[in-house]
Amino acid sequence: MKKIECEALISNLDKVTSFVEDELERLGCGKKQLMQITLAAEEIYVNIAHYAYGKSNGAGGVVPDSGSGSMSLSMWEDNGLVTLIFEDGGVPYNPLEKEDPDISADVNDRQIGGLGIFMAKKSMDNMRYEYRDGRNILTLEKRIAVNGGVSMLNIRGGKNGENLLIQLEGRLDTTTASQLEEKLNSEIDGVKELTFDLKDLEYISSAGLRILLSAQKTMNNQGKMIVKNASEEVQEIFEVTGFSDIFIIQ
């Protein structure tokens, strides 16, 4: 069994995902399942970092990023079954009770957030929660087939008249999504056709999907958006979350 402990802060996300990926690569995990497990680990960790130690807002909710504390992630593999156990001492919270988002809703009715836990559940074979001895304990399980990351995002392309081409390479996740957001904010005004070329995109999390959804909503008012060359793994994420029904995919 391998274990990592750290302060539950977004700034430590790279340490957590690197820990997971390194262990999966050591096991010879296939690319698709590596993405699925790492995605689930990212979404669960981000949820802990934002909310586990947050202060009450007085209305029964929690103020995101208003406190911090420790968390741990234990991970092991037994006969092809990979197990991850997240533990934290924050407010009691069972993420499995969170209502799934309506992935069939029209693009203008879709919420920008709320996909993280849903994506984690869809990526893993089994998840279970318990609150014991003052700690939240969330177990994730995924059976892998042994077979065979980029921890950065490269953004290429640019504006040509009223057309904007964005080519993405690497990982579009919690730590890199702001790069794409800044790129779009600086160039999307006046664009009639926005094209995302995802040929070299290896990984996308809910943070990345939020940026794409926001871009789609903007383009609904000023032109059209096209997504092309998505890998099988990224395409599956679009289908699981219902984004394949709201994007023009080529």
Side-chain angles (χ1 to χ4, degrees):
M1 181 179 76
K2 300 291 183 66
K3 185 174 184 178
I4 184 173
E5 298 183 65
C6 65
E7 192 80 359
L9 300 171
I10 292 298
S11 58
N12 285 326
L13 175 61
D14 281 347
K15 294 179 183 178
V16 174
T17 54
S18 293
F19 166 79
V20 173
E21 289 181 340
D22 288 348
E23 184 62 13
L24 291 174
E25 289 175 354
R26 185 188 69 79
L27 293 171
C29 182
K31 178 181 176 181
K32 177 178 179 179
Q33 291 166 327
L34 187 149
M35 176 180 176
Q36 292 172 326
I37 296 171
T38 306
L39 182 150
E42 175 184 340
E43 301 298 348
I44 296 303
Y45 177 79
V46 167
N47 192 69
I48 293 171
H50 281 324
Y51 301 108
Y53 295 98
K55 299 174 183 177
S56 172
N57 62 11
V62 173
V63 180
D65 305 312
S66 57
S68 66
S70 65
M71 65 75 59
S72 68
L73 169 58
S74 302
M75 182 175 176
W76 68 89
E77 179 267 342
D78 182 29
N79 290 324
L81 183 67
V82 173
T83 301
L84 297 85
I85 297 183
F86 287 87
E87 296 189 41
D88 68 78
V91 295
Y93 176 65
N94 182 358
L96 304 182
E97 293 179 346
K98 182 178 177 63
E99 185 177 356
D100 290 341
D102 182 0
I103 62 172
S104 64
D106 180 82
V107 61
N108 293 318
D109 297 325
R110 291 286 292 266
Q111 298 299 311
I112 296 296
L115 283 171
I117 300 300
F118 175 75
M119 290 172 66
K121 288 192 289 187
K122 289 294 184 179
S123 297
M124 303 301 289
D125 293 335
N126 184 47
M127 293 175 61
R128 56 183 181 273
Y129 168 86
E130 62 177 319
Y131 186 74
R132 186 176 71 237
D133 299 328
R135 297 184 66 77
N136 293 295
I137 303 172
L138 185 66
T139 301
L140 290 69
E141 294 176 332
K142 179 78 173 181
R143 191 161 294 281
I144 66 170
V146 174
N147 176 19
V150 179
S151 59
M152 60 185 291
L153 178 69
N154 292 320
I155 303 175
R156 299 189 302 274
K159 216 168 182 178
N160 181 12
E162 295 182 336
N163 297 327
L164 175 59
L165 171 64
I166 301 290
Q167 298 167 302
L168 300 178
E169 176 187 10
R171 299 170 59 90
L172 183 54
D173 57 22
T174 300
T175 57
T176 62
S178 60
Q179 295 175 231
L180 179 57
E181 185 174 33
E182 290 173 8
K183 174 76 170 177
L184 289 171
N185 287 342
S186 67
E187 299 198 25
I188 202 168
D189 284 351
V191 169
K192 299 297 183 183
E193 182 171 303
L194 169 61
T195 301
F196 286 101
D197 187 339
L198 308 185
K199 181 172 69 73
D200 297 315
L201 187 69
E202 299 182 3
Y203 177 95
I204 185 168
S205 72
S206 65
L209 290 178
R210 287 195 293 271
I211 302 301
L212 296 187
L213 179 59
S214 180
Q216 180 70 74
K217 290 186 175 185
T218 297
M219 293 309 300
N220 281 351
N221 295 321
Q222 62 187 58
K224 68 177 180 178
M225 184 176 110
I226 298 169
V227 176
K228 67 179 185 178
N229 298 328
S231 67
E232 179 183 341
E233 293 79 15
V234 172
Q235 180 65 36
E236 183 173 324
I237 293 298
F238 289 158
E239 292 173 357
V240 164
T241 57
F243 277 59
S244 57
D245 295 327
I246 60 177
F247 292 159
I248 299 174
I249 299 178
Q250 298 179 350

